[in-house]
Amino acid sequence: MNHKHRTQNDSLSAEDILIALDQLDQTVEVMGAVIKRLKRNLEQTTPKHPPQDSSPPAFDFTNLPGKGWH
């Protein structure tokens, strides 16, 4: 792409802004399609198990040492 370097004093025209927004819109569409495809691929390859509880096990207070442990 051959774009001249802009300085801070150069202002963007409405047409320049519309072109940039259109390019961003197309980029977002492509990214969305890629994300959907990746999710679909993962759903096909991942076994159907219920999600496991990732919280740590409860602390067992019954095996604490006698007085003075704290």
Side-chain angles (χ1 to χ4, degrees):
M1 297 191 339
N2 294 329
H3 297 289
K4 70 175 188 173
H5 181 70
R6 294 186 179 270
T7 64
Q8 283 185 331
N9 295 337
D10 291 340
S11 61
L12 294 174
S13 70
E15 183 180 1
D16 291 334
I17 294 171
L18 286 173
I19 290 170
L21 290 174
D22 187 50
Q23 290 172 344
L24 283 170
D25 186 41
Q26 291 175 18
T27 301
V28 170
E29 283 183 35
V30 170
M31 291 173 65
V34 169
I35 290 169
K36 286 178 185 178
R37 187 181 73 230
L38 290 171
K39 285 172 65 175
R40 199 170 40 245
N41 289 346
L42 279 174
E43 288 169 353
Q44 291 173 357
T45 60
T46 305
K48 303 288 187 217
H49 296 293
Q52 295 180 352
D53 184 14
S54 61
S55 60
F59 188 78
D60 183 8
F61 290 97
T62 59
N63 293 327
L64 293 176
K67 288 187 176 183
W69 66 271
H70 54 284

